[in-house]
Amino acid sequence: MSEIVLEGGVPLRGSVGVLGAKNAVLQQMISTLICPGWHRLSNVPDIADVRALMEVMEHLGVRCDLADKELAMVVPERMSVEAPLELVRSMRASILLLGPLLTRFGEAKVPLPGGDDLGARPVDMHLNGLRQMGAELELVHGVLVGRAPRGLEGTEVELPFPSVGATQNLMMAAVMARGDSAIINAAREPEIEDLGVQLEKMGARLSGVGSPIIRIVGTRNLRPAAHRVMSDRIAAGTYAMAGAITGGEVTITGCEPAHLRMELTKLEAAGCEVERGEGWLRVAGPHRPEAVDFATLPYPGFHTDLHPQMVAVLSVATGTSVITENLYDGRFRYVGELARMGADIYTEWQHAIVRGVESLSGCPVMATDIRAGAALVIAGLVADGVTSIGGVEHIDRGYADLVHDLSGLGARIRRQDMNNDDRTRLFGW
């Protein structure tokens, strides 16, 4: 077990690059199950969730090799359709195995997934959509058992909410279904578009990806493909907010600023200078941020995965900010840890009132999920004294090397063994 230890007070300066998106690469790994043969993904981040999904894929019979940001996968003609409980219980994306396995083999056995504890995230939209396509699904001892003995049939599925996961699952199921399909009220996130690009390279016939209505013509004439994973807009936003809170100046490369339109607009409203270019953006933070209200919404709204990091920034702003979380009822579980550092945050149901304080105090805190961990690191960058963050295994699920990247920007930060009794001594600083 490790922890991150950092000493605040240093404005971040310099340049940092981002790799492929966690929220894209996992789905693209799973989509390869549709078609046997040799697939290649490039720009792949070496994060814990990628490694965990590689284990799941290998259990199913896929050969995986990750080296130098490239992931090669050899998908066999014959393979297992049963995902192992011990490997998928910590990964929300595992529910996406249902669509590809059902559409290709007519059966699948997938344990109910785990992942970050962000409250209720029902899989009903996934299951109802697959049932409309002809799948028979039942829950047996915690395992979703799916059968489509006659194969999946193309149909029109209208989602009650533009769910990213349900949209992706139904896209992968429909590309090999008999006949035409339409996903109404589909999610519009860039990760959806990137999955569509990969599927088209495999020979899938899609239109309208990135719009509220996606149309798919089923085909069995698919082939393996090579694809470059889109840049991680959440990592880019995290580094932008780290620069903002410290009053520094950070350039993020390998990113797409258009994917962060709302988040960058809110940073500008908080007093940051933001410059955008092709494949890069630069954020210069103010001496102290100004209060800003925001609400999380499906794309192109403010991304829920950047909500905790933005609240960390606003915790030291001048004035009071109001935050509304519309997607996950458990997203505010990080607030108690920020309060330990001196943040003044009041929550009620889906709202948080953040009264900015002049300074935060470093202390031991615990990351409860990926983005909560990133928010605590951001808060620690400006806190007086030393902040130690446990639960680093959560951060590892979404960031390839957060400590290395922030250190390169000048942060006084290190990762060390939690068994070290002198946890907060700053060796060499």
Side-chain angles (χ1 to χ4, degrees), residues 115-190:
D116 286 337
D117 185 10
L118 299 176
R121 292 191 284 179
V123 298
D124 291 353
M125 282 185 279
H126 299 247
L127 306 187
N128 291 339
L130 291 170
R131 286 190 176 107
Q132 290 180 58
M133 298 178 73
E136 302 168 359
L137 295 156
E138 61 178 332
L139 185 62
V140 181
H141 303 301
V143 176
L144 286 167
V145 178
R147 299 181 183 85
R150 295 178 297 278
L152 295 181
E153 293 277 357
T155 189
E156 182 177 292
V157 178
E158 183 168 357
L159 299 176
F161 179 84
S163 161
V164 173
T167 300
Q168 292 168 327
N169 220 341
L170 296 175
M171 285 172 63
M172 292 186 286
V175 295
M176 291 184 71
R178 291 190 303 275
D180 299 348
S181 298
I183 305 171
I184 312 298
N185 197 27
R188 300 163 55 194
E189 272 72 3

Side-chain angles (χ1 to χ4, degrees), residues 292-296 307 311 314 321-325 332 334 350-354:
V292 172
D293 300 340
F294 72 88
T296 63
H307 154 173
V311 169
L314 297 176
S321 306
V322 179
I323 286 74
T324 303
E325 172 56 53
F332 287 120
Y334 68 90
Q350 68 186 106
H351 304 288
I353 298 173
V354 184

Side-chain angles (χ1 to χ4, degrees), residues 24 47 64 130 140 146 170 189 213 316 336 385 389 393 401-402 407 412 420 423 427-428:
I47 56 177
C64 301
L130 291 170
V140 181
L170 296 175
E189 272 72 3
I213 301 177
V316 293
I389 303 164
E393 66 276 6
D401 199 340
L402 187 64
S407 179
R412 292 180 289 193
N420 188 337
R423 302 193 313 170
F427 296 96

Side-chain angles (χ1 to χ4, degrees), residues 40-59:
R40 181 172 60 85
L41 294 174
S42 57
N43 198 35
V44 175
D46 193 354
I47 56 177
D49 270 14
V50 166
R51 291 288 180 178
L53 185 54
M54 286 172 61
E55 288 190 62
V56 173
M57 302 281 279
E58 288 169 349
H59 176 92

Side-chain angles (χ1 to χ4, degrees), residues 406-425:
L406 292 177
S407 179
L409 296 173
R412 292 180 289 193
I413 184 170
R414 69 186 302 120
R415 184 169 178 147
Q416 65 184 41
D417 190 343
M418 286 188 70
N419 293 324
N420 188 337
D421 292 334
D422 191 11
R423 302 193 313 170
T424 57
R425 187 157 59 91

Side-chain angles (χ1 to χ4, degrees), residues 24 60 116 119 148 161 191 200 218 285 388 391 427:
L60 296 175
D116 286 337
F161 179 84
E191 293 81 5
E200 287 180 332
S388 58
F427 296 96

